[in-house]
């Protein structure tokens, strides 16, 4: 059967609140990130991701205090991202209780950051998030919360990230984010075939079938979602039972 597929709720945090938008804009509040993390931890989530979504854009450091409070309440691994620019940021977040860190904008600006994190802490600590959009000329990467396009294609950057020692890639399709019409399975399958490291799918979950499809058609190792969990549209354990019935190995 291979490794179990992972289901990962994602909590985008702005001003201490969990928020969720569509195509990276139109944010609305979803609740307290610590309390929500505790509930997900108790209800069958395999991991959690916390992203300080305006840290890079505003030039701030990530929410260390929040990370400490989350660590006290959850008993599953969690990843923290947003505003991580140097090893001292990683030190601070791991010391606060995070299991992994996610780098995105800073890694595109200075790719050596990935090498540095992997060398000091091990590849398993380094998740490289890639926000990409299918433009008229193909898949291109974006930084600063999807605000600025860079001249790196999804395929080339993902390959370099893996070569530099990242342990996983978290790929968010900006076209699919919050739209709930399914994940970018074609691009995900391309990445999964190309890369020797796990690929986490993000952007597009709207119903249980989308999770089935991302594991089968998209060949993803894990599926991340936000609003369908935050607003009670999909129950985590019901989703896992459904996936098991569809022949997909998940932890119950």
């Amino acid at each position: 059967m291979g490794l179990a597929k992972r289901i990962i709720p994602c909590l985008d945090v702005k001003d201490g609140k969990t928020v969720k938008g569509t195509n990276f804009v139109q944010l609305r509040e979803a609740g307290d990130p610590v309390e929500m993390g505790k509930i997900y931890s108790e209800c069958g989530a395999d991991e959690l991701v916390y992203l300080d979504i305006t840290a890079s854009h505003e030039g701030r450091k990530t929410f260390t205090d929040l990370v400490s409070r989350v660590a006290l309440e959850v008993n599953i691994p969690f990843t923290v991202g947003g505003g991580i620019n140097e090893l001292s940021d990683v030190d601070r977040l791991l010391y606060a209780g995070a299991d992994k860190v996610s780098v995105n904008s800073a890694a595109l600006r200075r790719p050596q950051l990935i090498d540095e994190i992997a060398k000091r802490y091990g590849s398993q600590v380094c998740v490289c998030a890639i926000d990409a959009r299918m433009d008229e000329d193909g898949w291109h990467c974006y930084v600063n919360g999807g605000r600025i396009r860079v001249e790196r294609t999804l395929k080339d950057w993902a390959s370099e990230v893996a070569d530099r020692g990242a342990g996983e890639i978290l790929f968010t399709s900006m076209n699919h984010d919050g739209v709930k019409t399914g994940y970018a399975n074609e691009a995900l399958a391309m990445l999964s075939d190309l890369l020797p490291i796990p690929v986490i799918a993000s952007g597009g979950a709207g119903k249980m079938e989308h999770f089935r499809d991302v594991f089968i058609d998209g060949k993803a190792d894990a599926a991340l979602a936000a609003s369908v969990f935050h607003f009670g549209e999909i129950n985590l354990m019901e989703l896992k039972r459904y996936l098991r019935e569809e022949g997909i190995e998940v932890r119950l």
Side-chain angles (χ1 to χ4, degrees):
M1 293 292 290
L3 292 173
K5 302 294 189 181
R6 291 170 287 152
I7 303 296
I8 306 176
C10 179
L11 297 96
D12 292 340
V13 178
K14 182 177 188 288
D15 302 326
K17 301 285 186 182
T18 307
V19 296
K20 185 62 191 120
T22 303
N23 300 127
F24 282 45
V25 294
Q26 299 169 330
L27 302 178
R28 58 175 172 150
E29 282 191 17
D32 175 71
V34 179
E35 187 60 31
M36 292 173 72
K38 181 180 180 181
I39 292 169
Y40 287 137
S41 177
E42 294 169 348
C43 292
D46 295 296
E47 298 182 21
L48 297 170
V49 170
Y50 283 87
L51 298 176
D52 190 350
I53 60 170
T54 56
S56 292
H57 175 59
E58 295 172 0
R60 290 186 292 106
K61 297 298 185 186
T62 313
F63 41 7
T64 314
D65 174 62
L66 177 70
V67 173
S68 300
R69 290 188 288 127
V70 169
L72 292 173
E73 298 291 347
V74 308
N75 57 11
I76 56 176
F78 70 100
T79 300
V80 177
I84 296 170
N85 298 300
E86 55 198 18
L87 290 180
S88 62
D89 296 325
V90 182
D91 276 336
R92 180 165 43 80
L93 294 167
L94 296 180
Y95 185 75
D99 297 279
K100 309 177 193 178
V101 296
S102 171
V103 292
N104 187 340
S105 300
L108 269 160
R109 294 195 181 98
R110 193 174 70 84
Q112 296 85 351
L113 180 63
I114 298 169
D115 307 65
E116 293 166 4
I117 295 171
K119 184 176 180 181
R120 179 176 293 190
Y121 310 101
S123 291
Q124 78 283 353
V125 165
C126 185
V127 178
C128 190
I130 301 176
D131 297 333
R133 191 170 76 185
M134 171 59 94
D135 295 327
E136 290 183 2
D137 55 348
W139 284 98
H140 277 268
C141 299
Y142 282 72
V143 296
N144 284 37
R147 294 173 177 83
I148 302 169
R149 170 171 152 156
V150 295
E151 291 308 310
R152 297 299 302 266
T153 67
L154 170 63
K155 185 175 180 179
D156 289 345
W157 176 234
S159 297
E160 181 175 336
V161 162
D163 289 344
R164 286 182 177 275
E168 296 180 282
I169 282 177
L170 167 56
F171 163 53
T172 300
S173 165
M174 294 173 60
N175 308 75
H176 295 73
D177 176 65
V179 181
K180 301 184 181 181
T181 54
Y183 292 90
N185 291 326
E186 191 174 324
L188 284 159
M190 178 272 291
L191 291 176
S192 294
D193 288 339
L194 176 72
L195 304 172
I197 59 176
V199 175
I200 304 167
S202 169
K207 54 186 180 179
M208 293 193 191
E209 290 83 358
H210 295 154
F211 289 88
R212 175 198 64 198
D213 295 345
V214 79
F215 291 133
I216 295 173
D217 301 333
K219 304 181 183 180
D221 298 279
L224 180 145
S227 58
V228 290
F229 296 141
H230 298 344
F231 300 114
E233 296 160 40
I234 294 178
N235 177 278
L236 254 166
M237 287 312 295
E238 288 177 11
L239 171 62
K240 285 192 160 188
R241 285 192 285 269
Y242 163 79
L243 291 171
R244 181 69 67 88
E245 290 168 4
E246 293 290 319
I248 294 164
E249 181 66 20
V250 292
R251 297 182 191 90
L252 290 177

